Every structure is written in structure tokens, then in C-alpha cells.
Amino acid sequence: MAISVRHLSKRFGTFAALDDVSVEIPTGQLTALLGPSGGGKSTLLRIIAGLEAPDSGQVEIGGLDATSLPPQRRNVGFVFQHYAAFKHMSVRKNVAFGLEIRKRPKAEVQRRVDELLELVHLEQFGDRLPAQLSGGQRQRMALARALAVEPNVLLLDEPFGALDAQVRKELRVWLRRLHDEVHVTTVFVTHDQEEAMEVADEIVVINHGRVEQVGTPDELYDQPASAFVMGFLGPVTKLGGRMVRPHDLELTDQPAPGAQAATVLRVTRLGFEVRVDVKVGDEEVWVQLTRGEAAKLSLKPGDSVFVMDAGKEIAG
Amino acid sequence: MRIVAFGYLGLLLVLPLGLVGLRTFEHGVSPVLHALSQPNAVHALQVTVVIAVIAVIGNTVFGVGVAVLIVRHTFPGKRLFSALVDLPLAVSPVVTGLALILVYGPTTSLGAWLGRHGVHVIFALPGMVLATIFVSLPLVVREIVPVLEEIGTDQEQAAWTLGASARQAFSRVTLPAIRWALAYGVVLTLARGLGEYGAVAVVSGRLVGKTQTANLFVEERFQNFDQPSAYAMAFVLASIAVTVLLAINLLRPADEA
Amino acid sequence: MMSATGGARRRSGTAVGLGLATLYLSLVVLVPLATVAWRSTSHGTDSFWHSVTTPEALAALRLTMGAAAIVVVVNVVMGSLIAWILVRDDFIGKRLVDTLIDLPFALPTIVAGLVLVSLYGPTSPLGINLAYARSGVLVALLFTTLPFVVRTVQPVLLEMDGEMEQAAASLGASRLTIFRRIVLPNLYPGIAAGAALAFARASSEFGATVLISGNIPFKTQVASVHIFGLIESDNATGAAAVSTVLLVIALLVLLALDVAQRWAVRRG
């Protein structure tokens, strides 16, 4: 179901967490709310879930005004950053919770829990307590618990934020695949642009309580609407006072039209990439090359080179 | 250092406790049983248990409710309210007794009015219950508040989003999460209720065979040079105390898990 | 929190709950205590001062405060030491000792009094007779207040995992310096809280002192026992006056405890 948010504002004391925010989240998609910490994205998600009340504005879920509905009656699935596992219940009991509240017949609950445990690959862990699971397993359990009640929308608040880097990456891919199977309208909050770019169909960039830009990952990366979006979504450097992506810059050892003379300061290898810091006039600029490109030029500090911008121009 | 600490504990705790056991069974088991089967002793124990159980029920309901109010709700004057809940810990039992007499005693207008309606508070069971509730009032609250703070609201909110009403979320999620702290608080309240002497002494009128609790029995028998009876009852109360200690010790690691 | 209508429901729930809790608290605790304060001055402030400055009342208050102060000092030292041993030391039966610390909380006060009389009374098997002496009062109060400092210092020590001390040692601090400049400052809030609770308990104790002290006016009679005597002799106003003094001290102690706890919170 689609979610429609209109003119939402929310203050905590003097701090404006959301300032007149309007967003349309289309049905069936995986949407990321992306932005720096404290930018208001979690507050927006919690207002959609009914866990926080807005000062003004409206929330519609599936075309129905949900603004004054309590969380119990919104039929949303919510996944918390720190899992919010019911510590005293087994994994099965956790997943069954929403169904038992809805007084579904025992046999149906059994069957549904089995299905979900299979979906999240926790079949063998049904009788364990949350404390006996790893972080990634706990979060998968929380996801199964949220999906069990067949929610209209699935909301995830920094779902991988408490996990270590390797598990994060695995779960990210897994969430994308899961969504392709389940197709429930999903909104997830993250401050990790890589995560948003990799997983989401659409990204809503939120900063200082306002929506900066909405678009597909490619649109946002290639046509950022502001310096903030450009800087937040990928690496940036400045050449001639303009913001450019370091991988859009080219280095040559021969002068070329539009190229500026530069001096190599440092060459740093980062695995497959090579970062070259050069000095152009008074500016320090960094250029990202592939290993092959760097090897061809065989750069050393002090070398004279020429740098030019091969990418599209973006207003800074 | 270890020796200093052990010596201190030995002289203050272990030796005295052991000695009560010795004194009690100086002449074997039968005098003890005899002393405890006197009608007054049996009655005193019954009165004590009744009072303690009522106080536990009252203070458990109050304690859980107040802990939830303090941790999960906002209202003006919250800090003052929470300080007032702790107040009984710092009040002398004798002052507690006096305070209750001055409000509910037969010579006060409230006490006289209650008396005309057949309710006698002071020198009767209700006053002893009030005194016991007073002295053990903060114990459940103080155990639950830190646990409620620590578990946070995530689990409750997760239950809400899954469709649980506030009451369902409380009984299925919050209550199980605080159950060990609650049990600990209840055990402490029970121990305090069984062991209160001063406040109950003041409000009870100490009528032997009527308003005499087990603790009052110990004092009265001792002052009347009936040491065997005093020691026998003291031994019963001390055994309860040790059982309580063991119960607390069993509850504590579960709390940390 | 929650939605607009849920919020309203929640607020009314808060009001009902708070109302019931306040009623319970008022009926049992607040109204009676306020009545004590009110009654103490019901015959004018002169009669209040007269009641609290009778030689007997003054002696009882002086003994109570002095004994409480001594007991707090002893138990701050011994309690911290015991807490230290329970956290940092390893020995057989540690769990048992840890359990035993709470005995004074669990043991009925009159039983504690009886227990102490049998050990330190006229028939003491150790040959130490403290009955009817001020030192008897001290022993009784030491017993009842033993757990407070232990139980407030222990968690702080448990949380200090030794990294700070190791850091200090690596910076060249001696063991004494580490204790004085690293360990002790971290324990202060816990010690302060324990000391406040112990003082409140010691200054209000009744049951444990009744049997061993003999309640001799001007010698071993503490304030609580003095008040008890005034109640028994139907001098409610006098009892209320001395009680008010104890109540004010209790309030000051609670205030000090609150300050100590906020100090602890601020220090994280």
C-alpha cells in the first residue's frame, strides 16, 4: 500500500525534527529514508508507524487517513535498530506474537510461523531464546515477527545499524531478495548511502528536518539537486571552485584542451583504487584512478601532470 | 584486609546468629516446640502472617503502578512524587506509629468517626496493617524502576505495532520482563512485613493474644524473663529471614541474565 | 507519544493512576507525617521548643546523632572494605558471604536486638558485656546499617573493570596513588549514598536498640525510644515535637541522597 505524508511537522522542545515534510511513497517499492543522524528520518518513520504523534500534518496509508490511529490499528510491521526482541519468549513465540494477539487459530499460527522461519532461515532456531542468537539472527527474527501479521507496510529503523560490517552487507543483499519475494511496501531508514544505493528502488534524502531530494539511486547520484545531496551520496572534491566526483577527473602526462597543470602530492593505494592528491594552483584536489590507469602513468610525488574534468557539470 | 573484613562480619553477623540457634536448642527440641505451640505464640504468628500478606498485596499493586508512572509517564512534580515515595525509608518506625495514631487514633475526629462506624484502626489490625504498609512502601518501587528504565520502550512499542493493546503489551511483554525484579521486591516487602517491630508496637497497643505479633511476642517474653519462648520465636523469625536471603540470592542471578 | 487520540487516552490514564497512587501514599504516609508536624506546634512554638529542649530529649537527640555519626564513619570504612573484597578478591564461600551481608535487612530488628544481647549481653559467652551501655547501642546500630555502604559501593566497583587503574599504572602511578586518585574518587558517590541511607537508618532505629540499651535516660536512651516513652505516657504533643526533629533530619538526609545520586549521574 502506498504511503502519503503531507506537511508533517514535529518539534522536540525547540528542536525541529521535521519541518513541513511531504513525501509520496509508492506501493510495492523498497524506499530508503537517507540522511545524517538527527536529520529527522527516524522521526518520520515513527510517525508513519504511529509511535510518535506529529504536531501538524497528515499521514495516509493505502488511501486512508491514519494520522489519529494508534499504532495497534495501523497494521504496519516495524523493525527496530536494536531488534526489540521479546527476551523472555522463544523465537517461535516472538514470531507468533502478532498472530496470537489477533486470535488466529492455533494450526494457522503454527503453519505461518513455520513459513516465516523458513523465509528468514531460522528453521532450526525456533525454540531458542533471543539471547542465544547472533545479532543478525535476531534481526531476521524481528523481521519475521513484523511480516507475520501481513502488514500493509513494512518499516525498518536503521535495521542493520547495530551489526558488524560483514553481516550488514549480507543482510542488505538478503533484504533486497526478500523484498523481491514478498513485495510489501517497505520503508527503511539508514544513514549509510552505500546501503541505500544498493538496496532501494527509491531514495528520500532528508536533512535538517526537510526533504532534500527524492529519486532513484542513479538520479540522485548523477543529478544531485544540491551540494548536500552530492556530498552525501558519494565522494566529492573541488576543482576550480566547482564540486566534482574524483572518479570523473582524468590525469594525463600531456597537456590537453581544458586540462590544468598540477603537481602530484601523494599517491595512496586503496585496494583496487588509487587515490592521487594533486595541487592545482592553490587548491588541493583528489583524483580517483583505477590501478591500471595509475600504473600507466607511474606517478610519484613531485611529478607534473594535467588534470581535467570528464564528468557532467553540477551546480555547486 | 581480608582478615579485618571477615573478623568484622564474624563478630557482627555470624556469631550472633549462630548463638541464637545454640540458645534456642540448649535443652533440646521439645521445649522449643512446646513454647511455639502456646496459644499466644500461634496467634502471634498468625497475626504476623496476615498483616504481612495484606501489606505485600497492597504494596505490590502500588509499587508496579507507581514504577510505571515514574518511568513511562510524564507529569508535573514527578521528582517530588518519586522522592515522597522513598520517604518511609528515612522515617523512624516509632514516628510512623505516632503519625498513624495522630490521624486514626480513637481520640482524633477521623478515628472517632471511623469508630462510630465500627472501624477500629488503632490498637487493632487495620492500624498494624497501615504501619506495615508504611514501612515497606518503597521496596517494590525501588526494585522495579531501574529495570523498567533499562529495558526501555522498544519491546512495548514492538508489541503495539503488532497489534497489542496497552494492557496486552503490559501483561505479555512488560510484566515478564520485570518479573525477577518484582519477585525480589515482593520478597523484600514480605521480609520487612514479617519483621516490623517498632511501628507495629506503637499502634497495636500490644494486647497479648489479640494484637501481639511474633516480634512483639519476642520482646514481651524476653522482658518477662521467659527466655526459652523468646528464643524459640526469634529462631522461627531468623529462619524465615535466612530463607528470604537465600530466595533473594536465587533471584539475583536470574535478574542479571 | 502515540497518536493524538491515543495521547489523550494515555494522559487521562496517567491522571487516574497518579490520583490513585497519591491517595494511597497520602492515606498511609503523607497525611500522618504532616499531622505529626502540625501537632508538634499545636500548642504554640514555645511548647515545641520546650518539648525538644527538655534535658531528656536533648540527651536522647545528642546520643542519637552522635551514635549515628560514629556508626556511619565505621561502616563507610568497613563497608567499602567489604565491598572491595567481595568484588576484587577471590575466596571460597564468597557467594555465602555476599548473601550474608543482607542479613540485617532481612532479620527482624527485635530478633537482631535479642541476638546481640545474647552475644554481647550479661550472659555473653565471649565475656563482653555491652548491655545497658552506650557501646551496646553502637553495636546494635553497626549491625542494622552494615549493608548500606556495601550495597552502594559494590556495583560501582563491579563497573570499574580495572582499565582505568591499568591506565594509571601504565602512566607510572603507585598503588597508593591509584587508589587515592583513581579508585576513591569514583567511589565517592556510592559511599555518599550509602552513608546517607545508613545515617537515616541509624538515627531512626528502634527495635534493635530496645533490648541491649536498657533505655536508661541520659545514658542509653536514643531518640526513638524517648519518643516511644512519651507516647506511652500520653504526651502526644511532646512526642510529635521530637518526632518532627527526626523527620526534618530524615528529609535533609533524603535531600543529600538526591544530590549524591545526581552527582553520580552527572559523572556517568
Side-chain angles (χ1 to χ4, degrees), chain B:
Chain B
M1 233 162 60
R2 221 190 266 185
I3 294 163
V4 176
F6 286 171
Y8 189 72
L9 290 174
L11 285 176
L12 216 49
L13 298 182
V14 184
L15 268 182
L17 193 65
L19 200 62
V20 167
L22 270 177
R23 284 273 156 89
T24 307
F25 294 105
E26 226 164 15
H27 306 292
V29 181
S30 61
V32 176
L33 293 176
H34 178 73
L36 288 175
S37 54
Q38 306 165 60
N40 285 345
V42 174
H43 185 265
L45 271 172
Q46 281 169 347
V47 171
T48 306
V49 169
V50 167
I51 291 172
V53 168
I54 298 174
V56 164
I57 293 169
N59 281 342
T60 301
V61 174
F62 172 82
V64 173
V66 164
V68 170
L69 273 176
I70 290 177
V71 180
R72 294 283 190 263
H73 295 245
T74 49
F75 52 89
K78 188 155 116 171
R79 275 198 49 201
L80 177 70
F81 180 74
S82 135
L84 288 177
V85 169
D86 278 345
L87 187 61
L89 288 182
V91 176
S92 168
V94 179
V95 177
T96 301
L98 173 69
L100 291 171
I101 287 183
L102 290 182
V103 175
Y104 300 103
T107 58
T108 68
S109 43
L110 178 61
W113 182 83
L114 286 170
R116 279 198 300 280
H117 291 80
V119 182
H120 301 280
V121 179
I122 300 304
F123 308 135
L125 204 62
M128 296 154 79
V129 170
L130 281 180
T132 307
I133 287 179
F134 184 116
V135 297
S136 58
L137 186 104
L139 298 174
V140 171
V141 184
R142 285 172 67 94
E143 289 307 317
I144 296 180
V145 162
V147 179
L148 269 183
E149 272 168 357
E150 202 202 300
I151 59 174
T153 52
D154 271 12
Q155 292 186 51
E156 286 158 31
Q157 292 184 351
W160 296 345
T161 64
L162 292 166
S165 66
R167 190 181 299 173
Q168 282 172 319
F170 179 76
S171 65
R172 288 177 177 233
V173 175
T174 314
L175 202 56
I178 60 170
R179 64 192 190 279
W180 293 115
L182 178 60
Y184 191 46
V186 165
V187 169
L188 286 176
T189 308
L190 187 67
R192 190 67 213 264
L194 292 173
E196 181 50 30
Y197 168 73
V200 172
V202 174
V203 299
S204 72
R206 293 177 289 165
L207 309 171
V208 175
K210 286 180 119 175
T211 61
Q212 190 179 54
T213 65
N215 294 282
L216 300 176
F217 178 89
V218 171
E219 192 258 358
E220 183 252 336
R221 288 290 91 200
F222 184 81
Q223 304 287 25
N224 288 317
F225 306 104
D226 177 11
Q227 296 216 356
S229 295
Y231 276 110
M233 186 62 88
F235 181 78
V236 171
L237 291 169
S239 306
I240 295 172
V242 170
T243 312
V244 164
L245 275 188
L246 293 177
I248 288 172
N249 203 26
L250 287 177
L251 292 176
R252 191 174 282 149
D255 199 2
E256 284 163 2

Side-chain angles (χ1 to χ4, degrees), chain A residues 104-261:
Chain A
R104 296 279 167 77
K106 269 220 171 78
E108 187 197 326
V109 174
Q110 285 275 3
R111 185 177 49 75
R112 187 88 184 107
V113 171
D114 285 334
E115 271 173 34
L116 280 157
L117 289 181
E118 204 186 315
L119 184 73
V120 301
H121 308 303
L122 288 174
E123 303 95 312
Q124 294 98 7
F125 298 98
D127 296 322
R128 293 217 189 163
L129 286 173
Q132 296 165 305
L133 301 182
S134 69
Q137 288 169 334
R138 268 183 243 182
Q139 199 55 300
R140 299 208 307 265
M141 178 196 83
L143 205 56
R145 182 176 73 182
L147 287 172
V149 297
E150 286 167 1
N152 295 334
V153 294
L154 179 63
L155 308 173
L156 305 102
D157 189 3
E158 298 264 6
F160 312 132
L163 302 169
D164 55 42
Q166 193 58 38
V167 182
R168 277 180 89 114
K169 285 203 170 150
E170 285 168 24
L171 275 189
R172 212 189 266 178
V173 176
W174 176 82
L175 175 68
R176 180 67 241 185
R177 289 201 194 129
L178 183 81
H179 182 262
D180 293 340
E181 267 178 62
V182 186
H183 286 305
V184 59
T185 307
T186 304
V187 185
F188 79 103
V189 161
T190 180
H191 62 262
D192 179 345
Q193 41 84 20
E194 207 182 301
E195 191 167 289
M197 305 277 279
E198 188 176 329
V199 179
D201 298 312
E202 191 169 73
I203 298 176
V204 178
V205 182
I206 296 180
N207 187 32
H208 291 310
R210 292 170 168 276
V211 174
E212 292 270 347
Q213 193 175 0
V214 182
T216 65
D218 284 350
E219 281 166 8
L220 260 55
Y221 196 84
D222 296 334
Q223 296 144 36
S226 63
F228 172 80
V229 175
M230 179 162 187
F232 200 75
L233 260 76
V236 231
T237 187
K238 273 192 175 176
L239 179 62
R242 285 183 307 109
M243 296 178 80
V244 285
R245 300 248 182 252
H247 53 73
D248 283 342
L249 294 179
E250 280 177 15
L251 286 186
T252 59
D253 46 8
Q254 299 296 325
Q260 301 178 49

